[in-house]
């Protein structure tokens, strides 16, 4: 008996000590629902899927359409896509748009009393910086050393190097947005490590030079044509033209001659011409048979879904008595309208003369006594999720309309403005032809028509600003244009509720630049707030 | 697993263990067990120390009779709520008196990896046993002790069947990581994370099986659980067999639940008058002719029945307890219900001459839930009372809906949907099975009996599956596919969790008389693995998706047959709306730990405890995965000093001082430290050229993640006066958390997410807890227990960011209805967690708020978000609990009261529905709203009114949780039986100034909270 007990004890203790000493090793668990970067970048197809993200981050808010797994944290995901935020910052702050909603901070745009804590500005800033971070990572992963290490060579490697150039372009575009809106963003490149130290701040002129250098560096190797939705040589020129047009705002030094040069390079390409009917520009099938678009954000009602971009524009513009089915949507969100300043740019509001005037006035007041009432201010009908043949887009919840970031008409307008500002006679003559193409299309659905054409004496800088309003309204240009024309904060040009006053008022000059969001000021001690905030 | 299978799986091991053999008996001992007043105590377990399997229990008057073998020397008397006593056998009679443990210091308290006598405790531990549990219809275990323990706040998450509670011990130590305490059931730390298809993981535990709760509050008590102990530990022990002849207990509890209070909305006539006076003719014309009380239409009295039967005793020398429970609860919100079948088995054999004790606990439950669509709660408040529930010929199953001829679906976009339709048209059912069990060996080493070897093997497995079905005619899912060609919902989901535990420790305890000391040392190892399987789309053997992003099958790479794809989102006709981008998901984490404890007692008066735990968690990278969590405590039993020894007034006095460090790793992602990519789903592809590509997105990560740490100081005094008829304790604590696992802003451009989790920030909780238990009357016929506890807790965030920028307002939190993405709360340095962040309302001379007019607090001429200020917080500064129990002869009765003071609530229902813009919606429909609109006359225009401090209300309250009366009829049916009949009311009344439905909503934002029902309970307990 005793002996058996002793044996039992020894056995139990032995078993115990085996258990005790095992399993203190790090088990190195890996997620089953994700993949590592080595897997992703092991094949050219993997690179292409990451490239899809580098581009897709313009259109989508995250990894799950329409929402549920967002890229940018700290803002409602539906608000967090690039173009919706960019549109609000560029349009709601101007004479072109007011919004009825009460979301925190949204009325600050039109009232021009935004602060460094504005959630929409914060969201836009983080969206831009996020896209830059994605580009940096892609460029890093596409280095020759990485390609060689992964055994990718030949045409596969050439393709990936081309993808990387496009990532450089997209990064330059996002830096342009940041420079234009926020002035002095933090500066990160492919040499900045993930999880690294807080990056330094770059001044507006440093960013200007960086964008210029980057674009000129990739320009020689960019293809003349590319897949739909991807960057080519023309869009590099187009961004350079836009950059130079506003150079004086960014650096204090004008570059109108360069703006002229680069817009002309695009205009002279045989690939691009005006779409014959202005009202076809923002339709569900604007991606087909459209020679005007240089670079687009691509949306799809079934496969590229979210609550931003043209889905926002098609829904938010519909309210009041507007029949939503005319807009290819299940129902409107009753949000955005125009001020009378935009309406009054046109000879009439119903578009019978200048067909670019796409307003809905039934049940709507031209005057705005209350910005949060949808029926005050004319509604805009520019974006419609229906096709040219009148049939609906694929979905009534999400739009098929692709959003052009660059289209030929803007190049005509840049050329004309630069010609006037450099005051070179032959260029002004050219400019008149280009502008009259826009006028012919606007009045007669035919760019070669003389209807609506203007004379050379009518072609003035003020006319260009108005013409930009008529041609490019609600496409995200207005704030930049008004700043360049010194009409954004100044009291020389007023619109209803500018600065929060019903008749409009001038505001402090520092508001011409948005503030660096306080969240990043706080996270990154290298950043200095823009003056005034 | 069916009920039968469940029983079978539990029954087989039972039968196996029944085969241990016993031996002959030869004499009978009888007696009576009484309390200090001479009253007989029923149900006392009487066992023979030398034959652990031999035993019986006392009858209703305390009498017993037990047959013992010749070599039996000692009888052991034990009962919950009384101190255990060992009495030597002499003769054939043994009358014994037991001390109530309300005052007893020899009562055993369960702590991590062992037990300790109450008088030897150095930490802050509260034990609550069955006799102190709350009475009434209690579905989930934690409600048994709501309001009973100082420092522990238990807030039920609403009135839905089986819904859980938010448990906060001393305020919670974290900001973004978990604030839930660790719950250990019979030695198995359970997964509190929930399982798909259940409202609450604890709802799988039958409260009737629980014998005691031990709540470990300060670090010297909890640090043995190291990494998971920052928010306190709750140790739940279930009932076990006591030996003797089989004793059966049957209880049935039948409850009628009612809605205690409706939301205060406009009546049909008020609504008509309002629309008439504020609407345009077109809007007035939208009104109907009906008079519908939508809240009456969605709520109904509900019935609940809870039936339990248990048997305990010993088969030969194997003590056992087996119980079965059946609960069926209907929600007061129509269509919701919960049915729970539960079973538990405990076996406690003792082998090898009392050297090897084995505890086997098996618990299983099957919950069948039907979830009511809780969207109906808000829609019942908002739906136009002039409209009927049904309209003939309507295509949406006959329910009235707001229509719009221009929309594709025919429904008015953004209008509320008929709440009755929401309830009746949605069938959301789940079956969840969970089993928790363990086998624990405690071996007293033969050649060294002071040394115990303890091995514990445990598991916690669950499987949740369910379906959601909505017909394609229902308004909520009508034509819901992106192309509007398919409607309805027919979704299935499946999740399994397999958590396993291996723990083993050595314990050595010895009295060393020569140096008047006692030492008690424990050292052990613990391994716990948490594995979840979410069944998503299937993949082929080579890892490639079956399904292409467009939903078609990628036949080229399939090896094997197509299988069920349950997590996809489908319409009724099977059209695929969305499916996960990854074939399967098996998140897993592990905790691997070493721990030790050393107790040293000198002269029985001076007690030192030291513990240490080394925890290693796979949620961190290899360099950071280990954390060390030490604690130390000292206790001084002043009562045992000469100057108090003979005091008649002071019957107990003990000082406790402790400090310890605990950690936290729950509540964050499993792989947040790893760089990883994930693929987007079918609705988030991007077009390049003519092809659509799923996107590969890099995830934000933080390779430097490490443990969150909380240091806790505790000073406490246990006291007892007048033979402990007044006793209790007072504790002061300070909890300082550093390296908070905090979701913070990354410097833009340095990570793939602008917010990632990082160890940054500090927070403090400081507080006082006071407990007083009294027995004002204690005599032969009447005993009256009266108890009271109060807790003061102050929470303050002391650091949030890398830099301490005074201009940084903080992190916004607390999403509300009203404006997309709007928040009402903020976490700021220098303020309590979740402080309300609001505009300061300006009032007119009559005290009415002026719409849109707010104080320009920074005097810069504009009212914007720089004028927001921090105003109050949702956490109470003081919370109290009180109870009273009286027994008089065969009658007993009691009540429990609970109060919160200083807690504030954002009345989101007022702010969201009590405005004209909600009632007369500019989008072309009408909606009802809170009667608050008649007081404010707010239009709801502008973007700031809903952030007004007007809507922050003082929600301090006093609530009677329950009141009960019972009559113990004794052995009315036959001898050796006992019958008790009781009635109880739960949620009896609430005294508060708060104007919403219920002042107690966890988180402090009241919007469409599922109302807690008032329950009328009739219970019958029968023992035989």
């Amino acid at each position: 008996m005793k002996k058996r007990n002793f044996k039992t004890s020894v056995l139990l203790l032995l078993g115990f000590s085996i258990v005790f000493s095992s399993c203190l090793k790090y088990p190195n668990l890996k997620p089953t629902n994700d993949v590592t970067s080595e897997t992703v970048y092991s094949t050219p197809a993997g690179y292409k899927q990451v490239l899809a993200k580098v581009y897709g981050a313009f259109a989508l808010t995250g990894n799950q359409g329409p929402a549920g797994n967002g890229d940018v944290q700290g803002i409602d995901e539906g608000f967090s896509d690039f173009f919706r935020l960019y549109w609000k910052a560029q349009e709601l702050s101007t004479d072109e748009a007011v919004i009825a909603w009460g979301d925190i901070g949204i009325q600050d745009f039109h009232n021009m009393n935004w602060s460094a804590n504005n959630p929409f500005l914060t969201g836009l800033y983080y969206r831009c910086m996020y896209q830059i971070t994605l580009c940096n990572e892609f460029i890093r992963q596409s280095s020759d050393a990485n390609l060689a290490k992964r055994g990718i060579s030949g045409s596969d490697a050439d393709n990936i190097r081309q993808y990387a150039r496009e990532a450089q372009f997209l990064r330059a575009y996002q830096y342009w947005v940041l420079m234009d809106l926020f002035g002095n963003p933090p500066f990160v490149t492919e040499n900045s490590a993930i999880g690294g130290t807080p990056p330094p701040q770059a001044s507006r002129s440093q960013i200007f030079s960086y964008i210029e250098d980057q674009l000129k560096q990739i320009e020689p190797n960019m293809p003349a044509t590319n897949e739909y939705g991807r960057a080519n040589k023309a869009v590099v020129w187009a961004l350079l033209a836009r950059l130079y047009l506003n150079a004086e705002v960014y650096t204090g030094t004008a570059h109108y001659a360069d703006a002229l040069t680069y817009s002309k390079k695009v205009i002279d390409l045989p690939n691009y011409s005006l779409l014959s009917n202005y009202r076809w520009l923002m339709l569900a099938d604007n991606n087909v048979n459209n020679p005007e678009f240089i670079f687009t954000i691509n949306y799809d009602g079934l496969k590229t879904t979210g609550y931003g971009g043209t889905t926002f524009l098609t829904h938010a513009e519909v309210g009041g008595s507007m029949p939503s089915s005319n807009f290819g949507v299940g129902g409107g969100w009753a949000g955005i309208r125009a001020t009378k300043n935009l309406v009054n740019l046109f000879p009439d509001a119903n578009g019978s003369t200048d067909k670019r005037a796409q307003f809905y006035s039934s049940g709507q007041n031209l005057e705005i006594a209350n910005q949060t009432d949808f029926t005050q201010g004319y509604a805009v009908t520019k974006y419609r999720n229906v096709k040219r043949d009148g049939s609906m887009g694929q979905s009534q919840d999400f739009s098929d309309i692709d959003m052009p970031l660059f289209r030929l008409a803007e190049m005509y307008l840049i050329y004309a403005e630069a010609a006037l500002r450099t005051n070179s006679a032959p260029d002004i003559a050219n400019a008149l032809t280009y502008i009259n193409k826009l006028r012919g299309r606007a009045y007669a659905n035919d760019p070669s028509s003389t209807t609506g054409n203007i004379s050379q004496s009518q072609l003035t800088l003020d006319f260009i600003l108005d013409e930009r309003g008529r041609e490019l309204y609600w496409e995200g240009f207005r704030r930049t244009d008004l700043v360049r024309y010194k009409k954004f904060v100044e009291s020389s040009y007023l619109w209803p509720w500018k600065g929060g006053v019903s008749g409009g008022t001038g505001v402090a000059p520092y508001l011409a630049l948005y503030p660096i969001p306080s969240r990043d000021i706080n996270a990154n001690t290298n950043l200095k707030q823009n003056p005034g905030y | 697993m069916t009920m039968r299978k469940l029983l079978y799986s539990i029954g087989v091991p039972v039968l196996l263990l029944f085969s241990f053999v016993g031996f002959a008996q030869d004499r009978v001992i009888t007696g009576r067990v009484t309390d200090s007043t001479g009253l007989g105590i029923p149900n006392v377990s009487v066992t023979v120390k030398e034959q652990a399997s031999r035993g019986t229990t006392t009858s209703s008057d305390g009498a017993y009779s037990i047959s013992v073998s010749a070599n039996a020397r000692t009888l052991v008397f034990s009962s919950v709520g009384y101190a255990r006593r060992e009495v030597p056998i002499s003769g054939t009679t043994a009358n014994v008196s037991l001390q109530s443990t309300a005052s007893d210091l020899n009562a055993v308290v369960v702590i991590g990896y062992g037990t300790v006598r109450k008088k030897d405790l150095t930490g802050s531990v509260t034990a609550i046993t069955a006799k102190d549990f709350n009475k009434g219809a209690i579905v989930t275990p934690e409600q048994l002790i709501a309001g009973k323990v100082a420092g522990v706040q238990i807030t039920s998450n609403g009135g839905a069947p089986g819904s859980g509670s938010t448990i906060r011990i001393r305020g919670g130590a974290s900001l973004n990581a978990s604030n839930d305490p660790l719950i250990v059931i019979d030695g198995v730390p359970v997964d509190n994370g929930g399982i798909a298809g259940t409202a609450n993981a604890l709802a799988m535990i039958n409260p009737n099986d629980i014998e005691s709760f031990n709540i470990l509050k300060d670090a010297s008590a909890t640090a043995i659980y190291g990494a998971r102990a920052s928010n306190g530990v709750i140790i739940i022990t279930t009932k076990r067999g006591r030996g003797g002849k089989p004793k059966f207990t049957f209880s049935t509890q039948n409850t009628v639940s009612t809605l205690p209070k409706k939301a205060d909305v406009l009546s049909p006539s008020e609504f008509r008058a309002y629309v008439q006076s504020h609407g345009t003719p077109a809007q007035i014309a939208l009104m109907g002719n009906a008079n519908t009380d939508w809240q009456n239409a969605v709520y109904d009295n509900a019935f609940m029945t809870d039936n339990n039967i248990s048997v305990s005793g010993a088969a030969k020398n194997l003590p056992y307890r087996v119980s079965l429970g059946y609960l069926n609860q209907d929600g007061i919100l129509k269509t919701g219900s919960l049915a729970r079948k539960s079973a538990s088995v405990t076996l406690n054999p003792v082998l090898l001459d009392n050297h090897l004790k084995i505890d086997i606990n098996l618990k299983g439950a099957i919950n069948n839930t039907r979830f009511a669509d809780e969207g109906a709660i808000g829609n019942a408040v908002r739906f136009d009372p002039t409209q009927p529930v049904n309209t003939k010929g309507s295509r949406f199953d006959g329910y009235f809906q707001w229509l719009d001829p221009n929309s594709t679906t025919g429904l008015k976009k953004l209008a509320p949907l008929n709440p009755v339709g929401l309830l009746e048209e949605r069938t959301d059912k789940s079956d969840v099975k969970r089993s928790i069990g363990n086998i624990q060996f405690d071996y007293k080493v033969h050649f060294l009996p002071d040394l115990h070897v303890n091995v514990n093997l445990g598991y916690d497995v669950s499987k949740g599956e369910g379906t959601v079905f909505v017909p394609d005619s229902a308004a909520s899912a009508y034509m819901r596919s992106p192309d509007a060609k398919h409607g309805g919902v027919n979704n299935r989901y499946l999740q399994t969790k397999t958590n396993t535990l291996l723990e083993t420790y050595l314990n050595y305890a010895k009295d060393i008389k020569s140096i008047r000391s006692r030492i008690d040392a424990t050292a052990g190892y613990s391994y716990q693995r948490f594995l979840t399987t979410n069944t998503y789309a299937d993949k082929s053997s080579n890892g490639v998706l079956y399904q292409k992003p467009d939903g078609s099958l990628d036949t080229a790479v399939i090896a094997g047959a197509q299988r069920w794809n349950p997590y996809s989102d489908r319409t009724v006709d099977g059209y695929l709306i969305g499916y996960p981008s990854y074939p399967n998901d098996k998140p897993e984490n592990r905790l691997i730990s070493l721990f030790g404890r050393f107790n040293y007692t000198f002269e029985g008066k001076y007690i030192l405890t030291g513990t240490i735990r080394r925890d290693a968690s796979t949620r961190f990278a290899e360099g950071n995965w280990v954390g060390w969590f030490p604690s130390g405590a000292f206790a001084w039993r002043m009562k045992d000093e000469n100057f108090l020894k003979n005091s008649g007034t002071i019957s107990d006095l003990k000082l406790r001082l402790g400090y310890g460090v605990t950690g936290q790793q729950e509540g964050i992602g499993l792989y947040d430290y790893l760089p990883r990519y994930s693929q987007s789903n079918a609705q988030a592809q991007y077009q390049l050229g003519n092809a659509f590509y799923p996107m590969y997105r890099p995830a934000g990560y933080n390779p430097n993640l490490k443990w969150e740490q909380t240091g806790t100081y505790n000073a406490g005094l246990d006291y007892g006066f007048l033979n402990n008829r007044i006793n209790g304790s007072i504790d002061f604590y300070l909890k300082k958390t550093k390296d908070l696992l905090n979701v913070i802003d990354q410097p833009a451009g340095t990570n793939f997410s602008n917010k990632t989790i990082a160890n940054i920030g500090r927070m403090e909780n400081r507080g006082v807890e006071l407990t007083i238990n009294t027995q004002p009357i204690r005599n032969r016929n009447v005993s009256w227990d009266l108890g009271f506890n109060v807790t003061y807790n102050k929470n303050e965030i002391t650091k949030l960011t890398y830099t301490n920028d005074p201009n940084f307002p903080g992190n916004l939190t607390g999403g509300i209805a009203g404006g997309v993405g709007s928040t009402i709360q903020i976490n700021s340095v220098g303020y309590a967690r979740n402080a309300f962040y609001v505009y300061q309302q300006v009032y007119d001379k009559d005290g009415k708020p002026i719409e849109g007019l707010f104080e320009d607090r920074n005097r810069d001429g504009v009212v914007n978000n720089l004028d927001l200020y921090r105003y109050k917080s949702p956490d109470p500064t003081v919370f109290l609990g009180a109870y009273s129990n009286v027994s008089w002869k065969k009658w007993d009765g009691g009540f429990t009261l609970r109060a919160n003071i200083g807690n504030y609530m954002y009345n989101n229902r007022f702010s969201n529905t009590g405005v004209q813009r909600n009632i007369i919606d500019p989008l072309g429909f009408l909606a009802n709203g809170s009667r608050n609109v008649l007081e404010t006359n707010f239009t709801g225009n502008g973007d700031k009114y809903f952030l007004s401090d007007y809507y922050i209300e003082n929600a301090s309250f006093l609530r009677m949780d329950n009141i009960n009366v019972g009559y113990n009829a004794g052995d009315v049916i036959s001898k050796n039986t006992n019958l008790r009949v009781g009635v109880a009311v739960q949620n009896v009344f609430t005294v508060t100034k708060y104007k919403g439905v219920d002042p107690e909503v966890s988180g402090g934002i009241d919007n469409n909270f599922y109302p807690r029902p008032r329950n009328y309970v009739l219970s019958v307990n029968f023992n035989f």
Side-chain angles (χ1 to χ4, degrees), chain A residues 1 4-6 8-9 12-13 16 19-20 22-27 29-35 37 40-41 46 48-53 55-56 59-60 62-65 69-74 76 79 100 102-105 107-108 113 115 117-118 125-126 129-130 133-134 137 186 188 193-199 227-230 296-298 300-305 315 323-325 330-332 334 370 372 392 394-397 518-525, chain B residues 352-353 404 406-408 411 413-414 443 445-447 451 453-455 480-484 502 504-506 523-525 527 536 550 575 582 584-590 592 594 614 617-618 620-622 625 671 673-690 692-698 701 745-755 801-805 808-809 819-823 862-866 917 923 941-944 946-947:
Chain A
M1 187 70 185
R4 213 192 76 201
N5 284 343
F6 183 75
T8 318
S9 312
L12 275 167
L13 279 176
F16 178 83
V19 162
F20 190 85
S22 65
C23 286
L24 284 174
K25 251 177 59 193
Y26 189 67
L29 303 177
K30 292 276 185 257
T32 52
N33 207 15
D34 296 310
V35 289
S37 59
V40 167
Y41 292 109
K48 185 90 183 242
Q49 278 187 255
V50 185
L51 182 72
K53 179 65 190 175
Y55 276 102
L60 289 151
N63 250 11
Q64 185 179 323
N69 186 355
D71 299 330
V72 179
Q73 311 300 314
D76 183 83
F79 291 167
D103 308 301
I104 295 166
Q107 296 295 344
D108 296 354
N113 63 353
S115 74
N117 298 321
N118 185 290
Y125 173 91
Y126 279 121
M129 289 302 299
Y130 173 71
T133 315
L134 288 179
E137 172 76 357
V188 282
I194 292 301
T197 50
E227 284 186 309
Y228 184 75
R230 286 176 57 189
T296 52
I297 304 177
N298 302 335
D300 187 276
L302 299 179
K303 292 174 186 153
T304 312
T305 61
H315 284 81
S324 56
S325 51
N370 176 1
T372 59
M392 296 253 215
Q394 300 176 82
S395 159
Q396 276 72 66
D397 290 319
S518 58
R519 274 169 51 187
D520 204 29
I521 295 270
N522 192 68
N524 182 350
T525 44
Chain B
L352 302 177
D353 263 351
D404 176 0
N406 284 321
S407 84
T408 22
L411 289 162
K413 196 127 182 162
L414 302 178
Y443 171 62
V445 178
H446 275 90
F447 53 86
L451 181 67
V453 180
N454 192 297
V455 177
R480 78 181 178 103
S481 71
D483 59 6
L502 165 73
T504 172
Y505 64 85
L506 296 169
Y525 167 83
Y527 172 94
Y536 287 158
D550 63 3
Y575 179 83
Y582 269 81
N584 65 15
D585 187 15
K586 278 193 161 188
E588 177 184 352
N589 70 305
R590 296 182 198 168
I592 301 168
L594 299 172
R614 173 201 186 268
S617 166
T618 59
F620 305 117
E622 189 167 5
W625 84 311
Y671 307 106
Y673 67 95
L674 267 180
R676 62 211 187 276
Y677 277 70
S678 60
Q679 186 172 263
S680 65
N681 77 351
Q683 283 72 44
Q685 304 179 76
Y686 196 70
Q687 182 187 4
L688 297 173
N690 294 319
F692 284 84
Y693 294 85
M695 310 182 295
Y696 265 137
R697 176 179 73 172
Y701 66 98
D745 292 314
Q746 292 292 301
T750 63
N751 214 319
F752 298 120
S753 175
N754 57 314
K755 272 181 184 283
T801 50
Y802 290 117
T803 62
N804 273 324
D805 178 357
F808 177 62
V820 185
S822 301
T823 56
V862 286
V863 175
N864 59 12
N865 54 11
L866 297 176
R917 197 182 172 86
L923 292 175
N941 294 326
D943 62 343
K944 295 186 179 66
F946 49 84
L947 299 183

Side-chain angles (χ1 to χ4, degrees), chain B residues 513-531:
Chain B
K513 296 245 160 54
S514 57
I515 53 168
R516 289 172 291 172
S517 300
R518 176 181 167 80
I519 56 167
D520 185 333
T522 303
Y525 167 83
S526 163
Y527 172 94
Q528 196 165 10
R529 177 177 187 235
F530 301 87
L531 177 67

